[in-house]
Every structure is written in structure tokens, then in C-alpha cells.
Amino acid sequence: DVDSIQVFDNEGGVTSYRGGCRLLIIPAGYIGAAIWGSIFVMFSGGQKTSTGAAGTLVGILLISLCYAPNRTMVWLNLFYAIITSVFIYLEWYVFSPILNYVVLFYGAFVGIHAIFDTFQDTIRRTVLRSDAYACYEICPCCLPRCVGIQWAICNIVLQLFAIWVAMVQLSDECGDQGWWDCMSGVWDMNNDWEFEKVVHSFEDLLHW
């Protein structure tokens, strides 16, 4: 059970909780950020999927305000909830595409920050009160830096996979298909997918 969530000016934060598996909860900040970053990148390729990702973000930001937040977290959550809602409105009633780029920015920023944060806090240096050291105390067979390296590899793999999914969505073959139909076609061995077409679609987006 989560009792409170606080965010501080130094880009840190504290979540007070009861129960649960510590081995899964401890890396939630680093791995969790990478997971959310990859999800936003994956869903940035289409209008409906980007709207779903943005709407989910707004909902999570508002729900998290129910868990005894501090002042900094209240202002941050309200700011991003409002600005994301504005972009959702602009996407559907004023100009499109715009939300795709906003969601892609969120995903890329969170994903890159997760990788950089993991390197700075768990690989470059060892702090006795760090999350990696806490995992080491639970599993002494794995040194803190080894824990950080595993987290970094996981974060990088998640981002690369998300980029590949987003590039597939931007391909010509996925133009008129839904997200699930598009991804199902990728795994269909009878479907002639050409990686070059996916790359060209991504280059067209960058030159837009």
C-alpha cells in the first residue's frame, strides 16, 4: 500500500509504502521510468495511440495527487496535466499531427533520463543508501555496480524496442491499420516487411 508520494527540487523523490516485495519495488524508479518512457515512444506513432497515452498520463498525474503529495509535486502534476490536455484538444480540433511529437518527446525524455540516471547513480559511483546498494543487501551475490549495469542494459533494450515499434507504426504498411493489427502483421512470417521501408518512413517524419 502506498502512503505518500513526494517529489523534490533536486529531481529526487520518496515514496512511503507498506508491504510488497522489496526486490521488485527498489528498482521501480529506474526500471519503471524506462518502461513508461518506452510505452510513450511505442504509442507515439498513431493519433489514437498517442491520445490514449496522453490521456493515461493525465489520469495518472491526477490520481497520484491523492497520495499525500508535497507542494512541488502538486504544481508539477497540475502543470503537465493541463498542458497535455491542451495538446490533446489541439490534436483533435485544431491541428494534426502534434500530439504524436509531444508523446514522443515525453517518452524519449523519460527514457534517456532513466538511462543517464542509472549510470550516474548506480554505475559511476556507489552510494551506501542507493537503490543498487539496497538490492545488494538483499542479494549479496551481486555487487551494487553489477546491479546498476543490469538495470542500464534493461533500460537500453526497452528504448531500442520502443523505437523499433514506433518506426513500424510509421511505415506505409501500417498506414490504415490499428495498432494491434499493425503489430500482429509484423510477427506474421507471411507478411513481406521490408526494414528499409520502415527506416524511410522514420526519415520522412524527421524531415517533416
Side-chain angles (χ1 to χ4, degrees):
D1 295 333
V2 177
D3 294 326
S4 65
I5 303 175
Q6 296 183 336
V7 177
F8 305 121
D9 296 334
N10 62 356
E11 300 182 2
V14 175
T15 300
S16 300
Y17 66 93
R18 290 172 292 173
C21 178
R22 289 196 68 210
L23 202 58
L24 297 178
I25 295 174
I26 289 173
Y30 299 106
I31 302 297
I35 291 174
W36 280 109
S38 63
I39 289 175
F40 284 131
V41 172
M42 284 190 290
F43 287 168
S44 65
Q47 184 182 45
K48 293 181 179 179
T49 54
S50 60
T51 302
T56 301
L57 175 63
V58 173
I60 292 174
L61 290 173
L62 297 178
I63 291 173
S64 62
L65 294 177
C66 301
Y67 292 92
N70 59 347
R71 181 176 298 179
T72 302
M73 179 174 171
V74 171
W75 284 110
L76 282 174
N77 285 27
L78 289 178
F79 172 77
Y80 280 104
I82 292 173
I83 195 171
T84 304
S85 299
V86 170
F87 277 116
I88 292 175
Y89 174 82
L90 293 176
E91 170 70 26
W92 286 92
Y93 298 104
V94 179
F95 178 79
S96 177
I98 187 172
L99 190 62
N100 305 63
Y101 300 101
V102 174
V103 173
L104 179 60
F105 170 76
Y106 285 167
F109 180 83
V110 172
I112 293 173
H113 186 271
I115 296 172
F116 179 78
D117 221 20
T118 302
F119 173 77
Q120 288 287 340
D121 297 344
T122 65
I123 299 176
R124 185 177 180 182
R125 57 195 172 98
T126 299
V127 182
L128 295 181
R129 298 186 61 184
S130 68
D131 293 337
Y133 196 87
C135 281
Y136 163 71
E137 291 179 333
I138 298 175
C139 299
C141 61
C142 196
L143 296 176
R145 277 194 171 90
C146 293
V147 174
I149 291 173
Q150 294 176 48
W151 292 351
I153 293 174
C154 182
N155 292 355
I156 293 172
V157 170
L158 283 170
Q159 299 313 306
L160 292 176
F161 176 75
I163 292 171
W164 175 76
V165 172
M167 290 170 64
V168 169
Q169 291 183 55
L170 294 171
S171 64
D172 295 335
E173 287 82 353
C174 281
D176 298 325
Q177 299 183 33
W179 191 91
W180 182 254
D181 293 335
C182 174
M183 297 312 301
S184 299
V186 175
W187 305 111
D188 185 2
M189 300 304 295
N190 295 323
N191 200 342
D192 295 330
W193 283 87
E194 297 182 15
F195 183 74
E196 290 79 5
K197 293 182 178 180
V198 178
V199 174
H200 291 328
S201 297
F202 186 68
E203 291 176 347
D204 292 340
L205 176 65
L206 293 178
H207 290 115
W208 179 77

